[in-house]
PDB file of all heavy atoms in Angstrom:
ATOM      1  N   GLY A 332      71.749  77.950 188.000  1.00  0.00           N
ATOM      2  CA  GLY A 332      72.925  78.716 187.569  1.00  0.00           C
ATOM      3  C   GLY A 332      72.681  79.425 186.248  1.00  0.00           C
ATOM      4  O   GLY A 332      73.046  80.591 186.085  1.00  0.00           O
ATOM      5  N   ILE A 333      72.047  78.728 185.309  1.00  0.00           N
ATOM      6  CA  ILE A 333      71.777  79.327 183.987  1.00  0.00           C
ATOM      7  C   ILE A 333      70.868  80.546 184.148  1.00  0.00           C
ATOM      8  O   ILE A 333      71.141  81.614 183.614  1.00  0.00           O
ATOM      9  CB  ILE A 333      71.138  78.289 183.036  1.00  0.00           C
ATOM     10  CG1 ILE A 333      72.159  77.202 182.681  1.00  0.00           C
ATOM     11  CG2 ILE A 333      70.625  78.971 181.766  1.00  0.00           C
ATOM     12  CD1 ILE A 333      71.549  75.954 182.047  1.00  0.00           C
ATOM     13  N   MET A 334      69.813  80.376 184.940  1.00  0.00           N
ATOM     14  CA  MET A 334      68.877  81.496 185.105  1.00  0.00           C
ATOM     15  C   MET A 334      69.523  82.652 185.853  1.00  0.00           C
ATOM     16  O   MET A 334      69.207  83.809 185.572  1.00  0.00           O
ATOM     17  CB  MET A 334      67.596  81.036 185.817  1.00  0.00           C
ATOM     18  CG  MET A 334      66.673  80.228 184.934  1.00  0.00           C
ATOM     19  SD  MET A 334      66.243  81.056 183.372  1.00  0.00           S
ATOM     20  CE  MET A 334      65.348  82.498 183.986  1.00  0.00           C
ATOM     21  N   ASN A 335      70.451  82.346 186.769  1.00  0.00           N
ATOM     22  CA  ASN A 335      71.128  83.435 187.463  1.00  0.00           C
ATOM     23  C   ASN A 335      71.953  84.276 186.498  1.00  0.00           C
ATOM     24  O   ASN A 335      72.092  85.482 186.690  1.00  0.00           O
ATOM     25  CB  ASN A 335      72.012  82.906 188.593  1.00  0.00           C
ATOM     26  CG  ASN A 335      71.184  82.556 189.822  1.00  0.00           C
ATOM     27  OD1 ASN A 335      70.051  82.989 189.961  1.00  0.00           O
ATOM     28  ND2 ASN A 335      71.758  81.757 190.705  1.00  0.00           N
ATOM     29  N   SER A 336      72.501  83.637 185.446  1.00  0.00           N
ATOM     30  CA  SER A 336      73.264  84.452 184.497  1.00  0.00           C
ATOM     31  C   SER A 336      72.393  84.987 183.360  1.00  0.00           C
ATOM     32  O   SER A 336      72.656  86.058 182.831  1.00  0.00           O
ATOM     33  CB  SER A 336      74.479  83.687 183.973  1.00  0.00           C
ATOM     34  OG  SER A 336      74.087  82.497 183.355  1.00  0.00           O
ATOM     35  N   MET A 337      71.327  84.275 182.992  1.00  0.00           N
ATOM     36  CA  MET A 337      70.517  84.691 181.837  1.00  0.00           C
ATOM     37  C   MET A 337      69.394  85.677 182.198  1.00  0.00           C
ATOM     38  O   MET A 337      69.016  86.495 181.362  1.00  0.00           O
ATOM     39  CB  MET A 337      69.911  83.469 181.134  1.00  0.00           C
ATOM     40  CG  MET A 337      70.939  82.589 180.486  1.00  0.00           C
ATOM     41  SD  MET A 337      71.866  83.491 179.227  1.00  0.00           S
ATOM     42  CE  MET A 337      73.476  82.737 179.420  1.00  0.00           C
ATOM     43  N   ALA A 338      68.852  85.585 183.400  1.00  0.00           N
ATOM     44  CA  ALA A 338      67.746  86.485 183.765  1.00  0.00           C
ATOM     45  C   ALA A 338      68.162  87.964 183.640  1.00  0.00           C
ATOM     46  O   ALA A 338      67.421  88.755 183.055  1.00  0.00           O
ATOM     47  CB  ALA A 338      67.212  86.166 185.161  1.00  0.00           C
ATOM     48  N   PRO A 339      69.363  88.344 184.116  1.00  0.00           N
ATOM     49  CA  PRO A 339      69.759  89.741 183.917  1.00  0.00           C
ATOM     50  C   PRO A 339      69.949  90.081 182.434  1.00  0.00           C
ATOM     51  O   PRO A 339      69.602  91.180 182.003  1.00  0.00           O
ATOM     52  CB  PRO A 339      71.092  89.861 184.674  1.00  0.00           C
ATOM     53  CG  PRO A 339      71.123  88.703 185.608  1.00  0.00           C
ATOM     54  CD  PRO A 339      70.322  87.621 184.951  1.00  0.00           C
ATOM     55  N   LYS A 340      70.483  89.130 181.664  1.00  0.00           N
ATOM     56  CA  LYS A 340      70.661  89.374 180.226  1.00  0.00           C
ATOM     57  C   LYS A 340      69.324  89.634 179.559  1.00  0.00           C
ATOM     58  O   LYS A 340      69.207  90.459 178.661  1.00  0.00           O
ATOM     59  CB  LYS A 340      71.309  88.151 179.550  1.00  0.00           C
ATOM     60  CG  LYS A 340      72.806  87.993 179.789  1.00  0.00           C
ATOM     61  CD  LYS A 340      73.341  86.976 178.782  1.00  0.00           C
ATOM     62  CE  LYS A 340      74.614  86.275 179.235  1.00  0.00           C
ATOM     63  NZ  LYS A 340      75.739  87.198 179.309  1.00  0.00           N
ATOM     64  N   ALA A 341      68.303  88.877 179.981  1.00  0.00           N
ATOM     65  CA  ALA A 341      66.969  89.015 179.385  1.00  0.00           C
ATOM     66  C   ALA A 341      66.159  90.107 180.099  1.00  0.00           C
ATOM     67  O   ALA A 341      64.991  90.311 179.784  1.00  0.00           O
ATOM     68  CB  ALA A 341      66.235  87.679 179.436  1.00  0.00           C
ATOM     69  N   ARG A 342      66.791  90.782 181.069  1.00  0.00           N
ATOM     70  CA  ARG A 342      66.155  91.850 181.842  1.00  0.00           C
ATOM     71  C   ARG A 342      64.857  91.383 182.505  1.00  0.00           C
ATOM     72  O   ARG A 342      63.827  92.064 182.434  1.00  0.00           O
ATOM     73  CB  ARG A 342      65.867  93.073 180.957  1.00  0.00           C
ATOM     74  CG  ARG A 342      67.131  93.659 180.367  1.00  0.00           C
ATOM     75  CD  ARG A 342      66.814  94.794 179.426  1.00  0.00           C
ATOM     76  NE  ARG A 342      68.001  95.205 178.692  1.00  0.00           N
ATOM     77  CZ  ARG A 342      68.927  96.020 179.165  1.00  0.00           C
ATOM     78  NH1 ARG A 342      68.808  96.516 180.373  1.00  0.00           N
ATOM     79  NH2 ARG A 342      69.972  96.337 178.434  1.00  0.00           N
ATOM     80  N   LEU A 343      64.906  90.222 183.125  1.00  0.00           N
ATOM     81  CA  LEU A 343      63.731  89.731 183.838  1.00  0.00           C
ATOM     82  C   LEU A 343      63.745  90.281 185.256  1.00  0.00           C
ATOM     83  O   LEU A 343      64.809  90.417 185.853  1.00  0.00           O
ATOM     84  CB  LEU A 343      63.747  88.200 183.907  1.00  0.00           C
ATOM     85  CG  LEU A 343      63.844  87.427 182.592  1.00  0.00           C
ATOM     86  CD1 LEU A 343      63.699  85.937 182.864  1.00  0.00           C
ATOM     87  CD2 LEU A 343      62.796  87.898 181.593  1.00  0.00           C
TER      88      LEU A 343
END
Side-chain angles (χ1 to χ4, degrees):
I333 292 165
M334 285 306 296
N335 281 342
S336 58
M337 293 300 145
K340 284 194 205 293
R342 299 176 190 278
L343 304 186

